[in-house]
Structures are given as structure tokens and as C-alpha cells.
Amino acid sequence: MYRYDDIDREFLADRSAEFRDQVNRRLAGELTEDQFKPLRLMNGLYLQLHAYMLRIAIPYGSMDSRQLRKLAWIARKYDKGYGHFTTRTNLQFHWIKLADTPDILDHLASVDMHAIQTSGNCIRNTTADPYAGATPEEVDDPRVWSEAIRQWSSLHPEFSYLPRKFKIAITAAPKDRTAARVHDIGLAIKRNRKGDLGFEVMVGGGLGATPHVGPTIREFLPAEQLLSYLEAILRVYNRLGRRDNRTKARIKILVASLGAEEFGRQVEAEWAAIGAGSDLPAGEMARIRAAFATKTFETLPERSESFEVAKSADPAFARFVRNNVKAHRAPGYAIVEISLKAIGETPGDASADQMEVIADLGERYGQDDIRVTHEQNIVLPHVKLDDLPAVHAALAKAGLATPNINLISDIIACPGLDYCALANARAIPVAQHIAERFANQDRAELIGELKIKISGCINACGHHHVGHIGILGVDKKGEEFYQLTLGGSGAEDASVGKVLGPALPANRVAEAIDAMVDVYLSQRQTGERFLDTLRRTGPAPFKEAVYADAH
Amino acid sequence: MRALTANRLSDGEVVFWSQGRWVERFAEAQLFADEAAAAAEAAEGHAKTETKVVVEPYLIDLVESEGLWAPLSYRERIRALGPTNHPFHGKQSEGGAVIEALQHASGAARSKGRVDLIRRK
Ligand code: SF4
């Protein structure tokens, strides 16, 4: 994992001291709220319904046990003993006091963490495949490139005041676990026929009020030219983005209005003008790569007897393995997904105790490597098969062994009206009701992969547009209603869901999901996921089931 | 009936205006009758000058609930209670008749707080 050097540390200390001074001046009345608000947002501090919210960057969702333990400690000391992992693989604390924030930033800096660029019209945290360095399908380690982007984009003066916020994702395997096509820039690492490393570059994806799946503007960009090409994209955006209209200011609107071809042409022209001077020197790239040097894995047999024995002896463990354990590239190892979607709990929340359990397990059994997924779960990417029974037992004891990864109860939900000042409606209780309705794990497994995503308003932090079933909270004269969308996907087969029909009151959402699941189960053909059946049949039978009693 | 609310600058706590000071409990909030619109607006005007104490004060409409008053908008009820996913977090943890009246209140309206926030963005 990448370690900060002295310059990074000094910089964070300065930044934190600067914010301490700004907070003091605000509390003393020397700064007005209008002057102070942009300053606190630059440090990830929002004012929400009940308190301040601090959003902490977890670069490309990757951290170690020391960092996670510090987050747990902050949760206990300064919050109410928990934190919320977000779809941007960041962590939010929802009960923060302004006056405490400078101290919190110092504590974060002590473990090389901060909240810079978690808000504002700048380049935000890059999303990377949470299975980086572990999945056998990987073309190259996306963390190397994400770290290069992090260093390049951190406080980049040219890109600190973009027309709007800007999000980049890097997927490094054919299976996209980053929702790359709905980011401002999605990068897919590839090799060309000659075996050279490069990126497919997709630009202009995004969610929000006008969702777009990003078109590819370049099929193959030589990897070492990544930064100059990104610079060219951002320059075109900086120049032509709609600063005059906030709702049209994201790059997706620019790409859609120019057309992908013309946008791509302008980027290529800009790129030619920039030249190679903006690319990272090979030596620097090698330095970053060395920080992610391949872990040394023990030479183990493919098959672990103790693991097989535990699986046949303990059905709960076997179920966990079926759903939460994924293939690793090293024989005798596995990737473990820890679901933060315990039935009836808040999606993405982890208590301080749970964070410590995960930190301990990561340190003891997982090469001290911990990842956050954009689906609000945690990954231990390198666990020996031999150790899986012990890891499972410890997770179960901490309420962290819910075997539902990718199943119907593995729901994304934004904080919604329970916390967020912008929300129309709550998202968390809707997720809880649905999960409770499908608490029976046999049934959930029978249904198979089904991604439900819930947002409390059109800002779409809960990615509802790309849910197989999306749920959007809307405000009908002040009452919470929920609009369903069907057929979205954030994966490699990305698509934007279509609105099913009139919005439903809160108490009808879970039953509507149930009705659609019944349609799927009765209509599915062998091997079809919910999404596949829906794509084959179209929405009509689902719509009929949901609105049957309205006729 | 209306009340005046804001978030406290130092910690973000939801506060209500009560006879010249800010209180944390909705139960202690000063209630402004519809006939006393001038008094409500004067309080709001004064609150806007208290920039070292609170952020973004605004008036909220109230509705009767179980013989008591509760915010009309659901958003404002959540502010006055705390998040529904953690019943022991926020003001609701104290319990009591006013809290229950808020929890049982019905009625709906757009929240001025949210409308203002979106307009300012
Ligand atoms: S989608 Fe809306 S309600 Fe949900 S977190 Fe984002 S802004 Fe808040």
C-alpha cells in the first residue's frame, strides 16, 4: 500500500492547522457563514439535519488496519460510535461538532488520512476495483494508476475549480466492480494485441437528474500517457463546461451535447498540444508501483482440507462461502467480502466495534489490506482458505457474516432523509423493510443476483439509476413517495433503468419488489438473473404485477 | 402556529428559538400564533443577526398532534426527533409526551429549510 512521505505529512499538518485557524475565526465571528462554508467543504465538512457530517477520503477504497482502527477510535470519541461507508468508498461520520473537527483532522493525519477533495468542484476520490491485486481476472493493478491520479489531482491548481465535481473510476478486470461507465471518466485497463498495457477511456457517464452511460472516446490509450490524456479531457471540460448552469455543468452534459466523436476530437487536439511533458516519468511510476508490489503469497495447495471439512460440517459457513467468498489468483487463498447489510440494519454502517474486528482480521489473516466497495461493503482481499473458518467465526460474532453479497438484501442506500439536508425521503428504512421481507436466505439465494439501489433524492448518491431495481425517494406535497426504475446496471453491461410507473407510498415498496420477484421466478429461463429476464421480457409483466390492484 | 429553528454553529445541533435564547428541545420552543406573524418574523429577523450562534434560521409550520404541536413537515419532525434508523440517537432518546406527539404526528408539507437550501446552491 502507498505510504506518505515527509512532504505529504508536512502538507497535511499545515492544512489541518490552516483549518483550525479558519474554524476559530468562524466561531469568533470573523468569518461569515458564506465565507466559511466553501472552506469547510474543502475539508469535507457538511452541515446536515442533526449535526455536521465529515466525509473522509479512503483513496480508491484501500486502507490498512491502523487506519481503520483510527476511524473506529474517532467514531467512538467524536461521533456516536459508528461510521457510514458510502458509494464513493469514503467514510462519513454523521454526528460531528464543528469545534472538534480540527482535532479530528489531526488524528486522521496521524494515519495519513484526510478529508480533502471529498467535496467541491474538484477531482474526487478515484473508485478502483476492490479486488485489486487479488482477482485472477486482473489485467494490471488499478491501485497503481489510482494512486498516480491521486497524487496528480490533489490540489491541482488547474482542476480545483472545475464547472462541477469530477469522479474517475478504474476497472481492471472484464467484470466491472466500479460502475466505471457511470463515472465522469471510466477507465478500463486492457492489453492490446501486442501485449502493451493501456486504457479504454469512457467519458461523460453520470447519474443525478440526467443519467448517462459514458461513451468510449478512445479504445486504447497507452498506459504511460494516462495523465496527459486526463489533463486534455479536463482542459476541454474546464473550457466548455456549462459554468452558467449548475444542472448542466457536469461533463456528461458537455459530452452529450457535443457528441462523443466531436468531444473526443477536441480532446485529441488538446492532447497533441499538451505533449508528453505532463506524463509521470517512468521512474516515478515505478516508485508508485513498488508501493503496491505483489504480496508474497505462501505456496499453498489449491485445496485446503480444513476448509473443506468446515464447509461440510457447518451449513452457515458453507452459505457464507457460496455468497461472500470469491476466487483469488494465488492457490490456497480467497477474497472475502464482508457484508455491511445485516438484515434490518443500516446499509453501509459499521460500528466502532465492528471496524476494530475487521481491522484485527485484516491484520491477522489478510496481509493488513482492507478495501471498501462502492456497494458499501468491505473486502479482505487476501485470506488463506485455511483461515476462512476462523475469519467467518469472528465475523459472525460481530454481526458481520451476513451471507448476502449481490443478493436481494445487499442493498445500496444513501443516508436519505434520516440525515441528509437535501433529501426528499428516507432511504434507510426502505432498505430495511425490503431486507426483512427477504430475510430467508434460501429464498434470497434462489432469487440470485438482484441489485436494489435506493436514493433519497435525484442526486442519486444511492445509484438508483443503475439498480436492477432502482428506488428514488420523491416528495409529493411533503410526503415520502418512491419511484421505481427497472433494468439499470452499473456493471460492464451498464444501462440506465426506466421508470416503471407512478410513485408508490412507502408502505407499498417492499410488496412491489416481492411482486416483481414473483414475476421473475415464474418467467426466468435457465441461468437468467433478474436483469436478464427483465431484459428479455421487457417491463410489461413486472409493471402489471406492481400496479395490478390499481386497475 | 409556527416555531423558529436553526442549527447551532458550534456543533450543528438542531435548536429552537425560545424567548430570546436557543433551546435544544422542541418542547421548549416558543410558539408563534398565526395572528402573531409580526412577532415571528421579528424573531426570525433577529435570529439572522446571530451569525456567531446559529446557521440558517427559518420558521417552520406546526400542526396539532395529540393535543400538542408538532412540525408539519416530515423533514422538520426528523430534525426535531433524530434519525428513524437509530431511535436512541438525537433528541428522541429523551422520550416524553412531546416526543411521542411528534412521532405520531401526521401532516405533510415541503420544508422551507430544504427549499431554501436548494435555492441557495
Ligand atoms: S441521494 Fe440525495 S438524499 Fe441521498 S445522500 Fe445524496 S443528496 Fe442526500
Side-chain angles (χ1 to χ4, degrees):
Chain A
M1 120 162 248
Y2 186 78
R3 295 267 173 210
Y4 277 16
D5 61 17
D6 290 345
I7 299 173
D8 294 315
R9 295 212 174 91
E10 216 170 284
F11 173 78
L12 277 196
D14 286 352
R15 176 71 175 234
S16 168
E18 177 186 61
F19 190 56
R20 186 178 295 279
D21 178 57
Q22 289 162 344
V23 169
N24 287 340
R25 285 193 285 148
R26 174 69 186 99
L27 291 171
E30 292 163 26
L31 291 176
T32 66
E33 186 61 17
D34 284 348
Q35 291 166 326
F36 179 66
K37 189 174 170 185
L39 301 175
R40 70 164 154 76
L41 288 175
M42 282 180 199
N43 291 286
L45 192 65
Y46 289 72
L47 180 56
Q48 296 208 315
L49 293 183
H50 316 291
Y52 289 90
M53 177 272 276
L54 182 63
R55 182 181 295 150
I56 295 158
I58 301 174
Y60 33 94
S62 191
M63 60 185 157
D64 61 18
S65 58
R66 174 189 67 128
Q67 293 174 319
L68 185 52
R69 272 193 204 106
K70 181 61 82 178
L71 294 174
W73 182 85
I74 291 170
R76 233 179 245 127
K77 180 158 172 75
Y78 294 107
D79 201 277
K80 293 188 185 293
Y82 74 103
H84 177 75
F85 290 97
T86 74
T87 51
R88 305 246 52 258
T89 74
N90 291 323
L91 180 88
Q92 294 184 178
F93 287 124
H94 286 148
W95 295 92
I96 295 299
K97 297 180 168 65
L98 173 62
D100 287 338
T101 310
D103 288 342
I104 299 174
L105 294 185
D106 282 344
H107 289 297
L108 288 171
S110 75
V111 293
D112 302 345
M113 296 185 97
H114 59 73
I116 299 166
Q117 287 182 212
T118 60
S119 173
N121 295 336
C122 52
I123 301 174
R124 307 283 188 90
N125 190 12
T126 297
T127 313
D129 189 342
Y131 294 0
T135 171
E137 306 156 355
E138 181 167 287
V139 180
D140 186 39
D141 193 327
R143 293 171 301 168
V144 172
W145 303 101
S146 304
E147 174 58 25
I149 292 172
R150 189 191 70 77
Q151 295 189 16
W152 162 79
S153 66
S154 290
L155 278 75
H156 193 308
E158 192 178 339
F159 306 133
S160 291
Y161 293 95
L162 295 167
R164 277 294 270 129
K165 57 186 164 183
F166 205 88
K167 303 168 182 176
I168 303 175
I170 307 185
T171 167
K175 177 126 191 69
D176 180 7
R177 286 171 282 262
T178 67
R181 279 221 182 258
V182 289
H183 278 71
D184 296 283
I185 296 179
L187 298 167
I189 306 185
K190 293 191 161 165
R191 281 194 190 278
N192 66 7
R193 277 201 206 93
K194 285 192 287 178
D196 305 329
L197 202 59
F199 296 95
E200 177 185 346
V201 184
M202 305 157 246
V203 183
L207 300 172
T210 43
H212 286 271
V213 171
T216 296
I217 65 162
R218 202 172 217 277
E219 288 291 347
F220 189 83
L221 172 74
E224 63 281 2
Q225 292 176 290
L226 177 64
L227 294 187
S228 58
Y229 199 80
L230 292 181
E231 189 164 313
I233 295 171
L234 280 149
R235 281 207 174 152
V236 172
Y237 174 48
N238 233 348
R239 191 184 308 135
L240 302 179
R242 292 284 304 272
R243 288 178 189 273
D244 61 309
N245 184 337
R246 199 185 143 86
T247 63
K248 297 195 164 127
R250 294 289 290 266
I251 197 172
K252 62 190 173 185
I253 305 294
L254 177 64
V255 174
S257 71
L258 285 180
E261 204 171 309
E262 171 58 18
F263 180 82
R265 196 194 58 73
Q266 296 205 22
V267 169
E268 296 284 326
E270 185 64 45
W271 191 41
I274 290 172
S278 292
D279 288 311
L280 269 188
E284 180 57 18
M285 220 43 240
R287 189 183 72 86
I288 294 176
R289 188 173 286 280
F292 299 97
T294 316
K295 305 267 180 190
T296 37
F297 297 112
E298 287 173 37
T299 314
L300 297 172
E302 201 79 55
R303 188 184 152 88
S304 153
E305 284 314 322
S306 58
F307 167 68
E308 296 299 334
V309 168
K311 239 183 0 179
S312 29
D314 179 358
F317 178 59
R319 193 192 291 278
F320 180 82
V321 172
R322 273 200 304 279
N323 293 298
N324 295 38
V325 174
K326 313 287 167 183
H328 196 283
R329 65 193 174 82
Y333 284 82
I335 299 169
V336 176
E337 280 225 28
I338 301 170
S339 167
L340 297 182
K341 317 293 175 63
I343 307 300
E345 298 295 329
T346 302
D349 275 15
S351 69
D353 293 350
Q354 290 177 323
M355 290 185 218
E356 281 169 352
V357 167
I358 295 168
D360 290 348
L361 292 173
E363 187 175 37
R364 179 151 180 214
Y365 298 110
Q367 304 221 12
D368 206 11
D369 201 340
I370 299 156
R371 312 282 172 76
V372 184
T373 78
H374 86 275
E375 292 181 319
Q376 300 179 292
N377 294 316
I378 303 281
V379 169
L380 300 180
H382 315 291
V383 180
K384 280 188 222 166
L385 291 177
D386 290 345
D387 293 333
L388 276 177
V391 169
H392 175 255
L395 289 173
K397 218 169 130 200
L400 287 166
T402 312
N404 63 350
I405 296 298
N406 290 333
L407 301 182
I408 190 165
S409 53
D410 183 7
I411 300 170
I412 291 184
C414 78
L417 189 54
D418 283 304
Y419 299 90
C420 177
L422 295 169
N424 275 322
R426 289 172 298 162
I428 295 165
V430 177
Q432 291 170 323
H433 288 152
I434 297 168
E436 278 158 1
R437 196 166 183 119
F438 293 93
N440 181 321
Q441 294 293 349
D442 287 331
R443 177 136 193 264
E445 279 192 62
L446 176 78
I447 297 163
E449 181 183 306
L450 205 174
K451 303 207 177 213
I452 299 179
K453 307 186 193 239
I454 312 175
S455 304
C457 82
I458 196 61
N459 288 331
C461 305
H463 292 186
H464 65 277
H465 295 298
V466 291
H468 299 174
I469 300 175
I471 303 175
L472 167 66
V474 294
D475 172 340
K476 274 200 178 173
K477 298 201 180 89
E479 286 204 65
E480 298 176 297
F481 271 73
Y482 296 89
Q483 192 176 67
L484 304 185
T485 54
L486 273 195
S489 167
E492 58 285 356
D493 57 352
S495 57
V496 170
K498 294 209 171 56
V499 174
L500 188 68
L504 302 173
N507 60 8
R508 286 214 41 217
V509 175
E511 71 187 56
I513 306 285
D514 218 342
M516 290 193 285
V517 165
D518 284 343
V519 171
Y520 158 63
L521 290 175
S522 68
Q523 306 233 354
R524 78 169 160 193
Q525 295 175 358
T526 317
E528 276 184 344
R529 302 168 299 164
F530 177 89
L531 184 62
D532 303 322
T533 303
L534 169 70
R535 282 177 173 168
R536 179 173 52 77
T537 64
F542 296 89
K543 185 167 180 170
E544 203 166 299
V546 170
Y547 297 101
D549 54 358
H551 294 308
Chain B
M1 201 65 95
R2 288 192 291 177
L4 178 59
T5 186
N7 288 79
R8 194 159 57 205
L9 172 67
S10 63
D11 57 4
E13 179 77 36
V14 175
V15 287
F16 301 93
W17 182 255
S18 179
Q19 320 289 351
R21 65 198 180 100
W22 294 100
V23 295
E24 293 183 13
R25 295 193 183 96
F26 176 76
E28 293 169 17
Q30 182 175 349
L31 305 179
F32 298 96
D34 292 348
E35 308 79 64
E41 271 133 42
E44 187 185 25
H46 173 77
K48 286 192 166 142
T49 68
E50 296 214 315
T51 55
K52 281 202 297 191
V53 185
V54 291
V55 181
E56 293 161 9
Y58 55 95
L59 289 162
I60 55 172
D61 291 322
L62 308 182
V63 65
E64 250 193 289
S65 172
E66 301 179 344
L68 296 165
W69 291 97
L72 174 62
S73 121
Y74 196 77
R75 180 187 195 267
E76 295 307 326
R77 293 205 287 277
I78 288 188
R79 284 182 74 248
L81 288 167
T84 62
N85 64 323
H86 280 296
F88 300 107
H89 289 174
K91 302 168 192 300
Q92 59 199 343
S93 59
E94 267 196 14
V98 175
I99 294 289
E100 276 171 34
L102 259 66
Q103 284 165 336
H104 302 156
S106 55
R110 292 230 155 94
S111 155
K112 183 166 177 299
R114 178 170 187 274
V115 172
D116 286 352
L117 187 68
I118 288 168
R119 193 181 320 122
R120 266 196 309 272
K121 276 195 96 174

